[in-house]
Amino acid sequence: MKEKRWILREDYDKEVVKKLAEALGVDEIIATLLVERGVTTFEEARCFFRPSLDQLHDPFLMKDMDRAIARINEAVRRRERILIYGDYDVDGTSAVALVYSYLSTFHRNIDFYIPDRDSEGYGISFQGIDYAHETGVKLVIALDCGIKAMEQVAYATSLGIDFIIGDHHLPDGENIPAAVAVLDPKRVDCPYPYKELSGCGIGFKIVEAHQEQRVGVRLCDPPDSLDDIRREKRDALQLNLLKYLDLVAVSIASDIVPIMGENRVLATYGLKVINTHPRPGIEAILTYGHIERRTEEEMRNHPEDTSYFRKELNTTDLVFLVGPRINAAGRIRSAFDSVRLLLSDNPAQAGMLAEEINQYNTQRKDLDSAATEEAKRRIESDPVMKARHSIVLFDESWHKGVVGIVASRLVEAYYKPTIIFTRSTDDLITGSARSIKEFDVHTALEQCADLLEHFGGHKCAAGVSVKPENFEAFKVRFEEVVTQTLQDKTWSPEIEIDAEVDFGKHITPKFLRILKQFSPFGPENNVPVFMSRSLVDTGYSRIVGTNHLKLNVISLLSRSKTFPAIGFQLGHCYPRVKKGDPFTICYTLEENYWNGKTDIQINVKDLRFDEDEV
């Protein structure tokens, strides 16, 4: 693991921070955190701390939304067969479950389809279109895929099948498929103001637009502008749409999209649904993450508490407990199982499906662990490979469902743009790319396009297919692009620090309560990271677990407060901490529950000894 660079953020206007702190009546540290997240005015702060559904944008601002809704209405009126088509990952399966569950409430001639990872690969497949044709489908609604499916859409059109595409990936410039409607905020000609919706988020906007048209009011209508009847309709509309936002929250968390703007609103309300009225499928998955529901006695004794679980779930729980299990079905067997689980309204059936999916997840862990260790062995035993600026590896025995995970683990270990390939078909090998913060892997693949058969994705992650005879040439070209792009960069991971704070002055229960209001956390709104200097352990440090440092921290400057702290994988610091050497840490703050008592705990991200900084 490379030594991390500490970057103390200073990319903000201190005068703006001061004015915002005065306007809100908060500490300048809190104002700094807001300004760093693009929140600079009282009104912006109000929207940030009080997300509301009326902050959502009008779905009809999205290019082609009117055409999409008109075509859906036509299909419903003619009782045509509709197929909901989605990718096999969390974002795609949750999008399919959302749109299918909505349309099936009033249209029975409906089906869904998820391509097989091994035989069909990512995106819209000719095999899927053949299935649609054979089953009498007249309209396909594709979600989380399709923005580059020019040939597939043309083929479907020749068979008399219309397409509505709802995607959030980057299009191929101005080239888009000749579908009835192409919904993608990243289209160059799309005026929709928020560009970072997940694929499931696009699906929700379709449902929102259709529902709004049916009832004649819109979520974005200010309540004060409506009469009593229209206000009642708007309230009912909110209730009808709320039940789908749990799926959107899962997709937002799992697909690593920014949790600011519209996504912040969707994630906030989605988490509320999960924490109060979880659908049977999500509840069943969470039992394998050891999340317990409250007992009937606990609910009777505390009726004011609307929580369904004993622990309040956040985006981190969705990322680590829910997302991997939903993904596992598509990685190991069939993502149809994930959609069935998310659609199930029968707890017993959901329990059986969740058990199967949890078994897939266990199998997935074994496969990705073995592949990761083999990949590391190859790198460490080959000086030439180890010296390269990129990692590109191929092994036909590696499971196609885990190559993306392996790529992520290698980025974490070596901090290099990484692509892991395995055999896809007799004619192609397929890879999954993951990148580092400084490098746009999608742009790099564009510079290698003449050697590739397919590629798609975004700055941080992408999928790619290449003919075996072009693999070595691609590996050379990709290394050249990486080297040229990053030749003047520092090749090590960084920890971005939001602010330097004084233990004695800033870290209080009130401060932590305000920090909690910054949630839900995720890209562009990460958990705030702080730095504090001149600290020592009070003499109780020890090693816990495999290599974790447990300590009690106090400031040499104030000596007013002591805080328990945990530093994962920082056991190598123990001898000097125990000796009493002063140190500086960067860390996050969290609540620690123990024996019915809540305390502030320091989660140490990295530690440096003051003597080494001189």
Side-chain angles (χ1 to χ4, degrees):
M1 186 71 68
K2 290 190 175 183
E3 182 178 342
K4 298 179 177 67
R5 290 178 292 136
W6 294 15
I7 308 296
L8 179 60
R9 292 191 64 174
E10 296 179 314
D11 55 336
Y12 56 87
D13 189 323
K14 293 183 179 180
E15 190 60 33
V16 172
V17 168
K18 185 176 180 180
K19 290 181 179 179
L20 184 62
E22 292 173 353
L24 298 177
V26 297
D27 188 283
E28 286 195 12
I29 296 294
I30 297 296
T32 297
L33 299 178
L34 288 169
V35 172
E36 288 173 343
R37 286 153 179 75
V39 177
T40 60
T41 67
F42 182 91
E43 180 59 25
E44 288 172 349
R46 185 191 66 79
C47 292
F48 181 84
F49 285 123
R50 294 182 176 83
S52 171
L53 291 176
D54 59 18
Q55 295 170 14
L56 297 180
H57 301 297
D58 183 347
F60 287 95
L61 292 175
M62 197 175 295
K63 180 76 173 178
D64 282 358
M65 183 63 80
D66 54 343
R67 300 178 64 182
I69 300 306
R71 183 62 184 92
I72 291 171
N73 287 337
E74 180 184 355
V76 172
R77 186 172 62 253
R78 293 180 175 180
R79 298 182 181 178
E80 293 177 337
R81 189 160 182 78
I82 301 175
L83 181 71
I84 313 301
Y85 188 112
D87 188 26
Y88 38 66
D89 67 1
V90 179
D91 197 14
T93 52
S94 60
V96 168
L98 190 155
V99 176
Y100 180 94
S101 61
Y102 170 73
L103 291 179
S104 62
T105 60
F106 56 86
H107 184 68
R108 301 184 66 178
N109 196 8
I110 189 170
D111 194 6
F112 69 85
Y113 187 91
I114 308 292
D116 181 80
R117 184 186 291 265
D118 291 327
S119 63
E120 298 173 75
Y122 167 78
I124 299 169
S125 69
F126 290 103
Q127 184 176 324
I129 295 171
D130 288 339
Y131 171 83
H133 181 57
E134 291 163 4
T135 55
V137 169
K138 293 300 180 184
L139 173 63
V140 176
I141 302 176
L143 301 165
D144 192 35
C145 60
I147 194 60
K148 294 186 178 182
M150 284 71 162
E151 294 180 10
Q152 292 89 336
V153 170
Y155 176 62
T157 301
S158 73
L159 298 176
I161 300 171
D162 286 339
F163 255 86
I164 293 172
I165 290 173
D167 204 351
H168 70 130
H169 295 100
L170 287 166
D172 186 9
E174 296 184 5
N175 298 322
I176 59 172
V180 169
V182 179
L183 309 171
D184 188 337
K186 293 187 174 75
R187 283 180 59 171
V188 295
D189 59 346
C190 181
Y192 195 75
Y194 190 72
K195 305 297 183 182
E196 301 300 334
L197 291 168
S198 65
C200 187
I202 301 291
F204 175 78
K205 299 306 289 190
I206 294 173
V207 170
E208 180 191 350
H210 191 269
Q211 185 80 332
E212 287 180 349
Q213 189 183 79
R214 292 180 77 188
V215 301
V217 294
R218 299 189 178 180
L219 287 181
C220 60
D221 290 338
D224 295 342
S225 69
L226 303 175
D227 56 33
D228 290 342
I229 294 176
R230 289 174 61 81
R231 192 177 296 114
E232 286 182 10
K233 286 185 176 181
R234 182 181 177 279
D235 292 343
L237 174 65
Q238 284 193 358
L239 286 175
N240 287 336
L241 291 174
L242 268 175
K243 60 189 175 186
Y244 302 107
L245 290 182
D246 56 344
L247 296 172
V248 183
V250 169
S251 80
I252 287 172
S254 302
D255 214 52
I256 319 298
V257 293
I259 305 188
M260 288 293 284
E262 197 162 28
N263 279 343
R264 179 174 173 81
V265 176
L266 296 170
T268 297
Y269 279 87
L271 282 166
K272 287 180 181 178
V273 173
I274 292 172
N275 278 297
T276 55
H277 299 91
R279 64 180 60 216
I282 290 180
E283 180 183 358
I285 292 173
L286 287 168
T287 61
Y288 292 96
H290 306 293
I291 302 298
E292 299 177 344
R293 61 172 294 181
R294 296 168 66 216
T295 65
E296 291 185 6
E297 182 180 358
E298 288 171 331
M299 292 181 179
R300 281 196 306 271
N301 293 338
H302 299 281
E304 76 287 351
D305 187 351
T306 59
S307 302
Y308 188 85
F309 300 106
R310 287 178 171 173
K311 172 189 185 300
E312 183 178 0
L313 299 171
N314 54 38
T315 50
T316 301
D317 297 309
L318 302 185
V319 169
F320 289 103
L321 301 181
V322 178
R325 289 176 169 84
I326 294 176
N327 259 336
R331 295 184 188 279
I332 302 302
R333 185 185 172 188
S334 170
F336 276 86
D337 291 338
S338 294
V339 178
R340 293 187 188 103
L341 175 65
L342 294 174
L343 288 174
S344 177
D345 58 5
N346 183 312
Q349 179 195 45
M352 289 188 291
L353 286 168
E355 182 180 6
E356 287 184 22
I357 284 176
N358 192 62
Q359 291 173 357
Y360 300 150
N361 193 49
T362 300
Q363 187 178 351
R364 185 271 306 169
K365 289 180 181 178
D366 293 339
L367 289 169
D368 86 60
S369 178
T372 300
E373 290 307 309
E374 170 60 18
K376 287 182 177 180
R377 186 196 64 75
R378 290 191 195 180
I379 294 168
E380 294 299 329
S381 63
D382 187 337
V384 175
M385 187 185 302
K386 197 171 181 180
R388 288 178 182 146
H389 297 107
S390 65
I391 296 172
V392 180
L393 292 173
F394 164 71
D395 192 309
E396 62 182 18
S397 71
W398 288 338
H399 195 285
K400 190 176 179 181
V402 302
V403 290
I405 300 172
V406 175
S408 295
R409 298 200 192 289
L410 295 181
V411 169
E412 183 179 346
Y414 297 99
Y415 203 67
K416 297 178 180 181
T418 299
I419 311 178
I420 301 300
F421 284 91
T422 189
R423 179 70 64 177
S424 175
T425 65
D426 291 338
D427 300 324
L428 293 175
I429 58 177
T430 299
S432 192
R434 297 293 184 270
S435 194
I436 61 177
K437 180 179 178 180
E438 299 88 347
F439 188 74
D440 187 332
V441 71
H442 188 272
T443 298
L445 292 174
E446 288 177 337
Q447 297 179 56
C448 306
D450 58 305
L451 297 171
L452 303 174
E453 297 305 302
H454 312 287
F455 72 93
H458 47 79
K459 179 180 178 179
C460 300
V464 56
S465 294
V466 60
K467 289 182 177 180
E469 59 267 29
N470 289 332
F471 177 71
E472 289 300 324
F474 165 74
K475 187 162 66 171
V476 171
R477 175 86 63 82
F478 187 74
E479 170 70 11
E480 290 174 350
V481 173
V482 174
T483 302
Q484 292 169 5
T485 305
L486 296 174
Q487 57 186 342
D488 297 325
K489 303 288 184 180
T490 302
W491 289 74
S492 61
E494 68 180 33
I495 298 176
E496 193 172 76
I497 300 166
D498 290 275
E500 182 173 349
V501 303
D502 182 306
F503 262 26
K505 178 180 178 182
H506 294 114
I507 302 180
T508 64
K510 178 182 178 181
F511 185 70
L512 184 58
R513 285 196 300 273
I514 296 175
L515 287 185
K516 288 177 67 177
Q517 295 178 47
F518 277 70
S519 66
F521 296 111
E524 296 188 11
N525 182 36
N526 290 309
V527 177
V529 177
F530 303 107
M531 181 177 75
S532 294
R533 304 176 189 269
S534 300
L535 310 176
V536 292
D537 176 63
T538 57
Y540 295 96
S541 59
R542 61 190 187 278
I543 301 292
V544 297
T546 54
N547 188 36
H548 311 315
L549 179 64
K550 183 72 175 170
L551 61 163
N552 287 301
V553 181
I554 191 168
S555 170
L556 287 173
L557 302 177
S558 62
R559 290 194 175 274
S560 57
K561 295 177 183 177
T562 301
F563 295 99
I566 181 75
F568 294 103
Q569 300 302 320
L570 292 178
H572 60 279
C573 299
Y574 171 71
R576 294 183 63 182
V577 168
K578 186 68 175 177
K579 192 173 69 173
D581 289 357
F583 51 82
T584 298
I585 58 173
C586 56
Y587 58 93
T588 59
L589 295 174
E590 57 189 32
E591 288 182 329
N592 184 42
Y593 301 93
W594 182 252
N595 288 337
K597 185 181 179 183
T598 302
D599 293 314
I600 297 175
Q601 177 171 276
I602 307 291
N603 189 331
V604 182
K605 299 298 181 184
D606 203 8
L607 181 152
R608 292 178 179 175
F609 292 98
D610 295 356
E611 182 180 310
D612 298 341
E613 297 297 302
V614 177

